[in-house]
Amino acid sequence: MRETILEILKETNRAIDYQKEKALIDDKLIDSLELMEIISDLESAFQIEIGMEEIVPANFNSAEAIEQMVSRLSKKA
């Protein structure tokens, strides 16, 4: 799961070190268009639906946070 998430993130913006970054949203490293692309790619890759209530900085500030959200949503599906 982690490798797939990192690939999705790297396809969006290769300039960011996603393994170290902890404030992707808070530091405005990812803009709203990139975020929507990431969400779409995550939904396709993991066959999940990311609802509006999930689109908060805490779920997208780091690769770890994204992985935790995807794992949680995968269990609901």
Side-chain angles (χ1 to χ4, degrees):
M1 179 183 295
R2 170 70 57 97
E3 289 305 313
T4 302
I5 291 169
L6 288 173
E7 279 304 311
I8 289 169
L9 292 170
K10 287 176 189 171
E11 286 175 18
T12 303
N13 185 335
R14 294 198 178 275
I16 299 170
D17 184 350
Y18 293 101
Q19 300 208 45
K20 293 182 181 176
E21 187 56 55
K22 303 293 182 206
L24 295 168
I25 304 297
D26 291 342
D27 287 349
K28 297 178 177 50
L29 299 175
I30 292 177
D31 66 28
S32 59
L33 292 177
E34 291 170 324
L35 181 59
M36 297 317 305
E37 181 181 337
I38 291 166
I39 290 168
S40 177
D41 290 347
L42 289 170
E43 288 178 329
S44 294
F46 295 103
Q47 301 299 304
I48 59 173
E49 185 174 328
I50 300 173
M52 291 301 295
E53 69 279 359
E54 299 291 345
I55 304 173
V56 295
N59 285 339
F60 290 94
N61 265 327
S62 68
E64 293 84 7
I66 293 170
E67 183 178 14
Q68 290 172 1
M69 178 192 64
V70 169
S71 179
R72 181 171 39 80
L73 293 174
S74 294
K75 291 176 184 172
K76 289 182 180 179

